[in-house]
Structures are given as structure tokens and as C-alpha cells.
Amino acid sequence: MDIYADNILDHYKRPRGKDESLCVNEQRSCHSEKNPSCGDSLIMELEIDNGIVKIKWNGSGCAISQAAISLLSEEIEGKTEEEILKLNKKDIIKMLGVPISTSRIKCALLCLHTIKNTIKKSKGEVLNKWEDTLEIDHE
Amino acid sequence: MKIDLINLRESFSIFEKEKSSAYLDSAATAQVPDSVINKMEEYYKYYCSNVHRGVNLQNEKSTNEFETARNVIQSFVDAKYVSEIVFTKNCTESINLVANGWAKHNLKAGDGIVLSILEHHSNIVPWLQLKKEIGINLHWIDLSEDGQLDMNQYEKIIEEENIKLVAITGQSNVLGIQTDLINIIAKAKAKGAPVLVDAAQLIAHKQVNVQKLDCDFLAFSGHKLYGPTGIGVLYVKRERQEEMQPWITGGGSVLEVHRDKFIPSETPSMFEAGTPPIAEAIGLAESIKWINMYEWKDIQEYESSLISYATEEMNKISSLKILGSNNKHGCISFILDGIHPHDVADIAGEMDVSIRAGNHCAMPLHTALGIPASNRMSIALYNKKEDIDLLIKAINKAITIFSK
């Protein structure tokens, strides 16, 4: 199956929930991450409404990284912080529904890396490293 | 020998594969001729042993081959003394050796180093680190409107600032333009400032003559010169060697070691602590022998015909923009409207067309150009017109996919 499936291209061209005015700021609820291998970047700002997470996001990058955050912003509707922190690599790949090669895995997971670290930062917790998000097996 | 592409490609096993493919990423790492691989295999199969450390026959052979490799490199860059050739791990380590072995001991807070906006990270980060450590100042040469380095700005910096080193690339790994080294070095010399040439890209595309250039340091890697990874070279002019201190230290770099002090050995071994990359040095000499079979004039003529052809074909694509001015060597970087470079490279990769996406370790240049990333196609002597055709096909495929 093709990585550039219609829904990926659709979300890339018409990103859902993107707020182009959002910039990196000093708020504890605002956080940004980059994919160092190709320069994709995401900024997120978090709001908790009755225990339910609402995010604002902005970013730039390849079709995979940008479609993934667009899809994720829909996926997390109605979810709590704890539910989002439980999301993993498999969930994101399933959500994208296209084959993700080793060279594109960071593009795909940048959304998960950013949202988890935005939550962790707002709670004052230690942030995930890429090896946590990538679920690198150290055994 | 005249360039005969069929014959030339036959010296690379990697091009035997039947599937159509185009390797257009030689600016990152070039393919390696079989003669180089065989030479390295010979070392491991028949005389594998350390160098300068024994008196047995194997050791004698490996030491001879290793030191002969140094001679081959000396004559390749036309260094006056063989001891001016230092083996390192790669071009990056070579530049770090200049920063830590020379600059750190000869520059002080307030002294200036000139860099150009064309530099890749290897010739930026060591200087940023030195700035942090000892408080030197960095002065940047930008691009002028014609897309070349702004020589007026350079002259002004050289005249007005307290410049103690000029660290400059010979050829941009993004824009493909070559810098006017002769002129840049002459101006630095007039003010008594030594010059480091980063020849990472230049070395495979133009004849380099360190005596003619009159540079003090020249750095390059083996793997961009049809050689193995894990081997780099730093040419250090004899006068500068006398001003240097050892950086990475240990066995092989010392004359005497006592409980409370050590005496370094002579150069170049003073800078080559630990067991060196022996097979790789021998391999690099073999890759130089391979490139020496061809005349530089023919190499340049052939490569520039490929670059011209690629430029013409790319200019036919209206949504494609080539970065930088004309007169490119070795590579062309470009961007496509509405398609991120990573996606272009991925779609090309699916067709077995290897190009690069990202900032190519040149983030300050990309920032100056106002773009986060670009695609780069780069050529070597083994590329053919059909490789360019395949790339154009891949670019058009990306455009079709993203116009859905």
C-alpha cells in the first residue's frame, strides 16, 4: 500500500485543528519538539477542560509528520491526559493506516512525542527522550 | 586515461544490479571501486597487523603499506613534506584537531575567526565550541546578490577585525559553488592570518595543490573520494605543526612516558594516538590511484556536462526552484512548491533514486536562504545522463502524487 494514501494527503493539505498563530511561548502548557533528521517541527499548547485534553497545534514539515498530528488531534477528542499518555507507537501507525518505513518513523511519531511531552511538561514530569517514543528495545 | 563510462562503471560491483537505479548522493558518500575493496581485503586476509609496533614480517608489510599511503596522499595534494599529512577519522575530526590542537593554544579571548555562510556544521560547531570555551569571536562572510561570497565584506572583516584564522570551504555542499580560495588565502596571508580549507567536497571535483594555495591546514574525508569510511586527512603546514599541542593522546603519540609527565613524539604520529585505521588508510591510497587514472581536465569536463544537463532538465519543471547561482560543481539543491523535501526524497527512494533531503548539515545557510530544508542531488564520475532522467521522472511523480 502507498504511504501517500488519499487520507494522508488530505490531512496534509487541509490540516485539522492547526492554529497558524501559535508560537513557542513561555507557558508551562506550551511545548515544541523537532525531528532532527529532517527538520519537521511541532508546537503544542494544552488546555484541560473537565479532565479532557484540548490542544492547539502549529507546525511545519513533511506530509507524514503534518498529517499525523492532524489525525491525532481528531483521535484524542474526549480523551484524558492519562489516556493520551498510554498511546504508543502501534496506535499511531494504526491511526495513519499506511506502511511506515524505518526512515519515516520519526516523522510519524513526532506528534506522539510532542503531545506526551507537552502533558509531561505541564505536570512538571521528566520528558520522554526519542528512544522512549521510538520504544527502542535495550534488551 | 580518457573517461569511458561503461568501462569506468565496471570497476564498481555496486552498479552491476539489473534494476534501474540512480545513486545521486555522492556528496554524502561516494561509491567505492572494487580495487579499493580488494586492497583492504588483502590487508585483512594476508598481512593484518598493527603498524609501528613490531618487527615481524606482517608488521613490516602493514607499516610499509600504511606509510606508502601517506606518500600517495602527500603527492595527491602536493604537500612539501610527508610528515605534513595526518591521518584522522574523517574531515570533521580533522577540523576538530585544528580547533583543539592548534587554535586553542594560539588564540585568546577577543581573537577573531572568519567563517563563510557556505560552511557545513563540521566547520562551524568546533568554532562555536571554541567561542564558548575561550571567548573567540566569529565573523561570517555572507552571500552577495550575485550568489557568490561577498568579497567586499570579507576584505572589510580582514582589514578591521583582529583575525587569527580563516576557516573556509572550497566548495559548498549545498549550492555547489566553489570559493575563490587563491584570493581568499592571499588576503588572509597579507594580514598574517593562517587559513584552514575544508576540502570535504572540493577534493573529489578539483585538483588540490596545498603549496600553490598556500593554505596552512586542509581537511577532507576518504569516503567522499571513492574511498572507505573511517579515514580522513588533515594537511598541516610544517610551521603550524610547531605551534600545535597533542589533542587525543595515548600509545603511538609519545616518545617517553613517566609517572608525572610525557614527551610527545614527532609529527604526524603525535596526532595519531592509538591504533590508526590501517586498512582504511591503505584503501584511501588505492582510491586516489583510481582517480589518478583520469585527467582532472576530463573529470571536470564530464562532471560539468552532467550538471548542465541536470540544470536544463530541472529548469523545465515550473514548480522547481534551484538554490543559488549558476556555475555549480558536484551538486544541485532544489525545492518544489508545496512538497516537503523529505517527501520528494522518499518518493525518489521508492524508485531507487538516492537523493538527500534536509539541511545537509548546513543549517545557517538554509536559514539565510529562508528555507527549513531542501533536496540535493549530487554527482560523481560514475553517474550518467540516465541517472538524471530517472531523477526527473521521480520529481514528476512526486508532483503528480501531491497534485491529487
Side-chain angles (χ1 to χ4, degrees):
Chain A
M1 201 178 124
D2 191 7
I3 181 173
Y4 298 105
D6 289 345
N7 76 317
I8 299 286
L9 290 171
D10 182 50
H11 274 268
Y12 174 59
K13 289 180 178 173
R14 283 168 287 276
R16 323 294 199 261
K18 183 173 177 176
D19 178 354
E20 295 201 11
S21 67
L22 181 65
C23 300
V24 178
N25 61 53
E26 295 303 308
Q27 298 291 323
R28 219 172 112 146
S29 57
C30 181
H31 182 67
S32 73
E33 290 282 355
K34 274 184 167 47
N35 169 11
S37 58
C38 65
D40 299 332
S41 68
L42 285 181
I43 309 167
M44 246 175 236
E45 203 173 292
L46 202 66
E47 199 188 310
I48 311 291
D49 188 4
N50 280 328
I52 300 300
V53 171
K54 283 188 174 161
I55 59 157
K56 277 198 234 173
W57 72 271
N58 193 6
S60 67
C62 68
I64 302 305
S65 72
Q66 302 303 301
I69 178 60
S70 173
L71 280 156
L72 184 68
S73 71
E74 289 184 335
E75 189 83 7
I76 60 154
E77 268 175 37
K79 284 196 162 57
T80 64
E81 286 178 307
E82 291 317 307
E83 285 169 326
I84 292 170
L85 288 174
K86 276 186 197 142
L87 291 173
N88 61 24
K89 185 164 130 183
K90 228 167 120 189
D91 296 322
I92 301 297
I93 292 172
K94 199 175 151 203
M95 174 190 87
L96 286 165
V98 293
I100 300 295
S101 64
T102 313
S103 64
R104 299 308 291 269
I105 191 71
K106 275 192 169 182
C107 311
L109 296 182
L110 180 64
C111 60
L112 184 67
H113 191 62
T114 313
I115 198 166
K116 282 192 177 182
N117 276 349
T118 308
I119 294 173
K120 282 172 169 276
K121 185 180 167 192
S122 72
K123 294 170 115 179
E125 290 177 9
V126 178
L127 303 189
N128 282 340
K129 292 186 172 175
W130 265 107
E131 61 178 35
D132 302 319
T133 303
L134 292 165
E135 297 169 30
I136 288 168
D137 192 355
H138 295 288
E139 291 298 304
Chain B
M1 190 166 32
K2 277 273 165 204
I3 294 168
D4 165 5
L5 205 57
I6 294 172
N7 197 350
L8 187 151
R9 284 176 70 92
E10 274 172 1
S11 35
F12 294 78
S13 284
I14 202 154
F15 297 131
E16 276 172 14
K17 53 183 170 185
E18 283 171 19
K19 220 175 115 222
S20 72
S21 70
Y23 187 77
L24 293 165
D25 199 17
S26 300
T29 288
Q31 299 302 319
V32 181
D34 292 353
S35 58
V36 174
I37 300 166
N38 295 341
K39 187 79 185 174
M40 291 170 68
E41 193 181 298
E42 243 173 55
Y43 164 78
Y44 285 116
K45 276 188 169 168
Y46 305 117
Y47 61 95
C48 178
S49 76
N50 218 314
V51 289
H52 303 301
R53 279 165 175 82
V55 286
N56 56 67
L57 280 180
Q58 279 185 222
N59 192 281
E60 174 107 358
K61 168 89 171 151
S62 66
T63 302
N64 284 343
E65 289 283 348
F66 182 71
E67 289 306 325
T68 304
R70 205 187 300 274
N71 284 305
V72 170
I73 292 154
Q74 177 204 359
S75 71
F76 183 64
V77 299
D78 200 30
K80 195 168 178 187
Y81 306 102
V82 70
S83 60
E84 293 176 324
I85 303 299
V86 180
F87 284 125
T88 62
K89 180 173 74 184
N90 48 34
C91 183
T92 301
E93 189 181 283
S94 296
I95 295 171
N96 274 271
L97 175 55
V98 179
N100 292 284
W102 181 80
K104 198 182 264 183
H105 308 287
N106 292 277
L107 272 63
K108 55 183 191 310
D111 286 345
I113 296 181
V114 180
L115 300 177
S116 88
I117 195 66
L118 297 174
E119 305 314 312
H120 66 151
H121 296 164
S122 299
N123 198 25
I124 299 173
V125 185
W127 309 117
L128 286 172
Q129 206 176 347
L130 201 65
K131 177 184 160 86
K132 204 170 151 187
E133 285 177 22
I134 65 170
I136 50 135
N137 298 322
L138 300 183
H139 303 273
W140 293 83
I141 319 171
D142 296 300
L143 294 176
S144 59
E145 272 175 22
D146 64 358
Q148 304 294 318
L149 283 184
D150 187 341
M151 293 303 282
N152 292 331
Q153 188 186 17
Y154 173 60
E155 280 166 34
K156 198 162 177 265
I157 294 170
I158 280 283
E159 284 302 321
E160 294 174 5
E161 306 292 341
N162 176 30
I163 300 305
K164 291 292 156 72
L165 177 71
V166 175
I168 185 106
T169 183
Q171 181 178 311
S172 164
N173 72 324
V174 178
L175 303 182
I177 54 175
Q178 289 178 350
T179 55
D180 184 0
L181 285 176
I182 294 278
N183 193 6
I184 290 169
I185 294 168
K187 295 214 155 73
K189 294 279 136 157
K191 285 281 161 187
V195 179
L196 157 68
V197 174
D198 174 357
Q201 297 296 325
L202 187 70
I203 198 74
H205 301 285
K206 191 182 178 184
Q207 185 167 25
V208 165
N209 182 319
V210 291
Q211 293 190 71
K212 223 183 248 172
L213 282 174
D214 195 24
C215 56
D216 298 81
F217 307 97
L218 184 126
F220 64 93
S221 288
H223 69 103
K224 296 192 205 291
L225 189 61
Y226 311 95
T229 58
I231 182 83
V233 170
L234 178 66
Y235 157 80
V236 186
K237 192 187 268 183
R238 186 173 268 187
E239 295 96 293
R240 296 287 89 72
Q241 291 197 346
E242 284 157 13
E243 300 164 355
M244 288 177 79
Q245 296 290 323
W247 171 40
I248 296 171
T249 51
S253 71
V254 283
L255 201 59
E256 288 177 32
V257 179
H258 305 276
R259 286 181 182 230
D260 56 352
K261 65 172 183 184
F262 73 96
I263 301 171
S265 56
E266 286 188 0
T267 58
S269 53
M270 170 178 152
F271 304 116
E272 294 175 354
T275 296
I278 303 165
E280 288 78 2
I282 296 168
L284 174 58
E286 197 63 24
S287 75
I288 289 173
K289 284 183 194 160
W290 180 83
I291 200 167
N292 276 344
M293 292 194 304
Y294 304 98
E295 300 281 336
W296 278 109
K297 171 175 75 60
D298 294 336
I299 293 173
Q300 283 172 308
E301 196 180 287
Y302 179 64
E303 290 189 348
S304 78
S305 75
L306 281 176
I307 291 287
S308 303
Y309 180 66
T311 308
E312 264 169 46
E313 292 302 303
M314 284 183 182
N315 281 336
K316 289 179 189 161
I317 302 170
S318 61
S319 61
L320 185 150
K321 183 175 174 260
I322 292 177
L323 303 181
S325 57
N326 286 332
N327 208 2
K328 294 183 180 305
H329 304 268
C331 72
I332 301 177
S333 294
F334 58 93
I335 47 173
L336 286 169
D337 277 349
I339 317 180
H340 192 273
H342 209 182
D343 293 313
V344 180
D346 202 352
I347 291 164
E350 284 289 308
M351 293 169 66
D352 216 350
V353 175
S354 305
I355 57 167
R356 177 110 179 238
N359 61 37
H360 324 309
C361 295
M363 198 167 155
L365 176 61
H366 277 80
T367 306
L369 295 169
I371 50 173
S374 64
N375 285 114
R376 178 185 71 192
M377 75 108 211
S378 53
I379 55 145
L381 205 43
Y382 41 66
N383 284 113
K384 43 186 185 171
K385 275 190 170 182
E386 288 83 348
D387 296 339
I388 313 284
D389 294 338
L390 216 52
L391 168 66
I392 299 296
K393 235 182 187 175
I395 293 171
N396 282 321
K397 187 177 174 189
I399 293 170
T400 308
I401 289 172
F402 275 79
S403 64
K404 265 195 251 175

